[in-house]
Structure formats: C-alpha cells, structure tokens
Amino acid sequence: MFSDLLTNELGIPKDIEHELRYNCPFCEPNHDYKLYVKVSDDNTNGLWICFKCGRKGNPVSFVMEYFGVSFEEALEILEGYGYRFQNKNYIPKDDSLTDEEYLLLLLDTVGKPQMVEEREEQKLTPPPLPQGFKLLSQNLYNPEAYPFLVYCHKRGFTLNDIIRHNIGYVLDSVVNLPSGRQIRLNNHLVFLTHGDDGQYQYWNTRAIAESYIKSFNAPSSDGEYSKKNTIFNLNIACKTPQVVITEGVPDALTLGESGVGTFGKQVTDAQINLILKSVTPEQPIYVYLDKDAKNEIKKLSERLYERHKETYIVISPTDKDPNSIGKEKAWEIIKNHSVKADGVGIIKLML
C-alpha cells in the first residue's frame, strides 16, 4: 500500500481519523508533520498535500518526485508495495496534478513501442543483481537459506525449478535506482530470467514474509534488459506443446515448463514479438491472467490473435491465480475453460 511506502521511507506517521501525517521530505525543516495523506474508501484515497511547502498530488506523483523516476518506474515501485493502480477511476480531475500527469493516468498503456523496438536491435546487458545475491542451489545446507527453501516448498517450487532457473535470495539488500536513491529488500527470493542462449537477462523478487515491499522488478537503465523486453521461462516454454502466458513468475512456475511470466498485466509490443518469434504457427498460446484483468486480457488476446490464430483465452471460474490453486487444478481449468480468442471468445470473456 502507499502508506507502507511512506512509513518505510519517512517513518511512523501520526494517525488522525481519515488522515496520516508525515514529515515532508520535500521541504526543510521537515519535522513538523505537515504532509497530510488522505485515507478513505472513495476516489480521494492516497491524495497528499504538504501545508508547509504546498506540494500536492497522488501516490504516483509522490513517488515520481521523491525517487526522481519516470511515471512507469513509479508504478513499478508502488506495485512492489502492493499498490494497485486503478487508472482513470482513481484520480478526480482537479488541480492535484498537472495536465500532463493527469493525461498519463488516463492512458490504458504507457510507453513508446517504437523506442522499445529500436532498443531491441541494440546489444543489451542485464541489470546488476541485487547486493548480496546468493543462489539457493549453492546454499541448500546453509541455515540462512532454510526459510527460503520452506517458502519454495509451500508455493510448489521444486528443487528442479530452483536449479533450472537459478533461483536465488537476498537477506538484506540495497538496490540502486537510476535516480540515485535506493530501495531496500529484506528476505526476498530472486527469480532470474534467461534468454535463448541460457544466459541471465533480468531479475525480479518476491518477499517470503510480511514486508513493505512484497515484490520488486529490477530497475533498468538504457542499454539494459528490462521487464518490457524479457519474458520469464520463454526460452523453455517455446519448446513445449503450448505456451501459457501468466502475470508473474510464481504462476509460471506452477504451470511447469509451458508457463511464462510477463511481470504484470500490461504486455508490451516487444514482449508480444518475443512470444510470436518463439512459437510455431501451430503452437497454441493461452492467455491466463488474473480474473480481475479482463480489459488487459481482451487487449492482449486480440493483439496476439491478429498474428497467431491459435490463441486462446483462459476464462477461469475462480478468482484465484494458478499458484494459489496448484498445478493440477490450474491445468484442469486451462483444458476445460479456454476459448478461441476470436470475436465470440472475446464476448464470452467480457460477459
């Protein structure tokens, strides 16, 4: 949640009715709790204002200014704290944001595909691994790795998964952001994504216990692989009878060799091109995103179906993701609740 990020960065707030009050990080001196953050169930939740320096905005604009990052990078940081971006229904059209920021919030997708395509032609390098990264496979008898192994077992990640994907962990790590600020990761599993040549390209994490940051996607600089142009396990899934697209690594691992993870609901043109270049025309592609992402499922399915007629939508009868229900049940749903991603299939999805 946004309040988790603020508390982690700014300290314990004063909790007064429907407001949290923090020391403002943007003005000096900053010890008088003049930063007010709205806490409510309506569309104003998360709006903030400092009654000392006058700055104000929403969770996204706060993170953009505080960390010195772009709009998309701010969303990634907030997602790590479990913040769910609610698009245009979240922010009322008032003067809390500039016109440019407000228009960005109304966009269904953010980014410039043409720039991504150009970057794909460059020789990219992996972003640096988080400080203190260790491979689980090399620490199976190390007591500090035991909680991570227990978590893997509970989530259904096998020893074969750990070895094949070079799954690692960090105990207390600091990740440097392009802006110069830092993010701290405590007790996180680290999942590595590999290319066709088996070489590491990208990483993302998942906390194994209660944490302000539940998951985190590696920040990337120009010339580095990012979550926009990599897909977890595609190098293996493309060699199986079908490819199943999921939102995250845990779901992909649950589905075994055929599961791939896209690091979120939004799938870029570069990722779609990667998938289509990797599969054969006869190889089925299943879109199995979480049930609360109907619009994202619709858009992704339509874009895939335009170029790959063997595209199917998994219309799950449950609100739980594959990792929550387990491999056997997830594959049963794929088998019995998938429809062709044509016009009829899209209508069934939206009903």
Side-chain angles (χ1 to χ4, degrees):
M1 301 300 291
F2 179 46
S3 59
D4 291 334
L5 181 149
L6 291 174
T7 300
N8 191 37
E9 294 292 329
L10 306 181
I12 304 298
K14 291 182 179 179
D15 190 345
I16 303 175
E17 294 184 354
H18 299 299
E19 293 175 337
L20 298 176
R21 301 182 186 180
Y22 295 88
N23 292 320
C24 178
F26 304 124
C27 59
E28 296 291 345
N30 60 0
H31 50 72
D32 45 7
Y33 291 91
K34 292 297 185 181
L35 181 71
Y36 285 52
V37 182
K38 190 75 172 178
V39 180
S40 64
D41 295 327
D42 60 22
N43 287 339
T44 64
N45 189 34
L47 294 180
W48 57 274
I49 184 171
C50 175
F51 286 100
K52 188 174 183 69
C53 67
R55 287 181 174 86
K56 56 185 176 179
N58 67 359
V60 180
S61 64
F62 179 91
V63 174
M64 288 174 67
E65 183 167 1
Y66 180 75
F67 288 104
V69 296
S70 68
F71 180 85
E72 286 185 303
E73 291 167 333
L75 288 182
E76 289 186 25
I77 291 172
L78 283 165
E79 286 172 1
Y81 285 86
Y83 172 82
R84 186 63 67 104
F85 181 54
Q86 297 298 327
N87 205 355
K88 64 182 179 181
N89 295 323
Y90 180 77
I91 297 297
K93 189 174 183 180
D94 57 21
D95 61 353
S96 65
L97 295 173
T98 65
D99 289 341
E100 180 183 3
E101 289 172 334
Y102 183 75
L103 288 173
L104 284 174
L105 290 176
L106 298 183
L107 293 176
D108 288 325
T109 58
V110 181
K112 299 179 179 179
Q114 184 176 359
M115 293 177 63
V116 174
E117 294 296 332
E118 291 174 356
R119 181 178 299 179
E120 283 188 304
E121 299 301 322
Q122 304 173 6
K123 184 171 179 58
L124 302 177
T125 59
L129 289 165
Q131 295 178 20
F133 170 84
K134 296 180 182 180
L135 287 172
L136 271 176
S137 61
Q138 295 180 0
N139 290 273
L140 296 177
Y141 300 103
N142 187 339
E144 71 178 23
Y146 179 72
F148 298 93
L149 293 169
V150 170
Y151 180 87
C152 286
H153 177 71
K154 288 181 178 179
R155 299 301 294 263
F157 309 154
T158 66
L159 180 59
N160 188 45
D161 292 330
I162 291 172
I163 296 172
R164 173 187 291 163
H165 298 289
N166 292 314
I167 297 176
Y169 66 96
V170 291
L171 297 174
D172 185 6
S173 180
V174 172
V175 178
N176 295 315
L177 300 176
S179 65
R181 287 191 176 271
Q182 296 178 324
I183 289 286
R184 185 172 293 276
L185 301 176
N186 292 301
N187 296 318
H188 276 239
L189 273 179
V190 181
F191 304 106
L192 301 189
T193 293
H194 302 84
D196 292 336
D197 57 1
Q199 297 300 306
Y200 148 67
Q201 291 183 339
Y202 188 65
W203 61 267
N204 68 309
T205 78
R206 177 65 64 93
I208 65 170
E210 287 296 321
S211 173
Y212 283 126
I213 301 180
K214 299 175 179 62
S215 61
F216 188 71
N217 292 318
S220 300
S221 301
D222 287 341
E224 293 179 342
Y225 287 104
S226 72
K227 76 169 196 173
K228 300 176 185 177
N229 53 28
T230 55
I231 297 177
F232 177 79
N233 195 49
L234 182 60
N235 59 313
I236 295 174
C238 66
K239 300 178 178 68
T240 69
Q242 64 277 307
V243 170
V244 186
I245 301 173
T246 69
E247 292 182 24
V249 172
D251 289 340
L253 287 172
T254 296
L255 295 172
E257 293 185 352
S258 294
V260 301
T262 59
F263 314 112
K265 294 178 174 60
Q266 301 290 348
V267 181
T268 67
D269 286 346
Q271 289 176 309
I272 289 176
N273 288 337
L274 277 177
I275 294 171
L276 295 179
K277 289 177 183 177
S278 301
V279 300
T280 65
E282 298 79 22
Q283 203 169 2
I285 299 175
Y286 294 89
V287 179
Y288 194 172
L289 306 187
D290 290 354
K291 196 173 181 179
D292 64 352
K294 281 190 176 182
N295 288 330
E296 288 83 0
I297 296 171
K298 176 179 179 292
K299 291 176 183 177
L300 174 57
S301 301
E302 288 175 336
R303 291 159 71 193
L304 285 170
Y305 186 75
E306 286 178 1
R307 298 164 60 186
H308 189 85
K309 299 308 179 186
E310 289 301 308
T311 299
Y312 297 84
I313 306 168
V314 181
I315 305 178
S316 176
T318 174
D319 292 332
K320 296 181 178 180
D321 57 40
N323 189 248
S324 298
I325 61 178
K327 183 174 184 178
E328 184 177 344
K329 182 64 176 177
W331 276 106
E332 180 183 325
I333 289 175
I334 293 172
K335 178 180 178 180
N336 297 321
H337 297 276
S338 297
V339 297
K340 202 74 172 282
D342 53 14
V344 175
I346 296 296
I347 291 173
K348 288 182 179 179
L349 166 70
M350 303 308 291
L351 290 177

